[in-house]
Amino acid sequence: MSKTTRWWWVRHAPVTAHKGTIYGQRDLPCDVDDTDTFKALATMLPDEAACITSTLQRTHQTADAIAAQGLTFAERQAEADLVEQSFGDWQGHSFAEFDHIRDNIAHRYWSAPAYERPPNGESFADVIARVAPAVTRLTAEHSGKDIVAVVHGGTIRAAIAFALGIDADKALAFAINNCSVTRLDHIDLGETQSWRINVVNWLPHTKHKTA
């Protein structure tokens, strides 16, 4: 008998307090004033799912904002392994300062190539290496159920890379907007395990925006 564990990945609400700087793992709050977006998310996501956040406050605030619009979670837990990429010494620098530090060399989708590790930070490949075991463990813990994971853009790209088995650099090509939903299903057939990609970067439909 097969079991399908449904992951509903939600990127946190926009961060506006960073003042134009790289923030990565800095614990900054997010803007949860757009109630229409959270009402829409509450209708898109399944009731009574396990809610998993990272340990950073912006994911907790986003989950709270969705719950305030009527979505019920069966349980909640915070996972340190699902935090955003640490940009180390680059965090806190403006993008102009960062361009100077990097000699205007940047990745086409991200702050740096997937395998480049910032000073005292981690590469995107490092993020995949810590996210993948956490996804495997949490999938086993919630086998056959729904999981709403309110986390970060880098975390969601890492989960996609793991599910598809693609190179870290290629995974950075996925657009993951704030408050978007990405649905990945883990299918357990007993002797074999596989992933199905249902939707990536599904935006909430509100009277102010279209999906």
Side-chain angles (χ1 to χ4, degrees):
M1 181 181 296
S2 67
K3 284 186 179 180
T4 301
T5 306
R6 296 161 295 276
W7 280 85
W8 305 76
W9 296 91
V10 182
R11 187 183 175 192
H12 61 78
V15 172
T16 58
H18 59 90
K19 298 181 180 179
T21 63
I22 297 170
Y23 55 95
Q25 285 188 9
R26 293 177 63 202
D27 196 10
L28 299 178
C30 63
D31 180 358
V32 291
D33 289 341
D34 185 0
T35 55
D36 285 339
T37 290
F38 300 113
K39 286 178 183 176
L41 282 170
T43 65
M44 293 165 66
L45 299 169
D47 257 327
E48 296 300 328
C51 177
I52 298 172
T53 63
S54 81
T55 52
L56 299 180
Q57 64 174 313
R58 54 190 181 266
T59 65
H60 297 266
Q61 292 169 330
T62 302
D64 289 342
I66 299 169
Q69 299 305 320
L71 189 69
T72 302
F73 296 124
E75 58 180 288
R76 285 190 48 176
Q77 63 189 94
E79 289 285 337
D81 285 335
L82 298 184
V83 296
E84 183 58 283
Q85 180 177 349
S86 170
F87 290 103
D89 293 351
W90 296 346
Q91 293 178 177
H93 283 287
S94 70
F95 287 99
E97 292 170 335
F98 177 70
D99 286 344
H100 178 71
I101 292 169
R102 296 271 299 144
D103 293 326
N104 293 311
I105 301 172
H107 190 274
R108 61 194 182 280
Y109 307 118
W110 203 236
S111 298
Y115 295 94
E116 180 176 348
R117 187 176 292 129
N120 297 309
E122 59 184 348
S123 68
F124 178 64
D126 292 332
V127 178
I128 297 173
R130 65 169 161 79
V131 167
V135 169
T136 298
R137 171 174 54 81
L138 291 165
T139 297
E141 290 177 8
H142 302 281
S143 179
K145 299 179 182 178
D146 289 292
I147 302 169
V148 173
V150 184
V151 290
H152 310 269
T155 309
I156 297 170
R157 290 184 184 93
I160 293 170
F162 171 57
L164 289 176
I166 60 175
D167 180 76
D169 201 58
K170 290 181 178 179
L172 292 177
F174 284 97
I176 305 294
N177 290 55
N178 291 108
C179 296
S180 66
V181 176
T182 293
R183 167 84 178 275
L184 309 179
D185 288 356
H186 179 265
I187 302 169
D188 183 354
L189 296 173
E191 294 184 0
T192 61
Q193 315 280 314
S194 63
W195 285 92
R196 178 173 56 210
I197 313 301
N198 284 273
V199 64
V200 174
N201 203 38
W202 181 20
L203 298 175
H205 180 83
T206 74
K207 63 184 179 181
H208 300 301
K209 55 174 76 72
T210 56

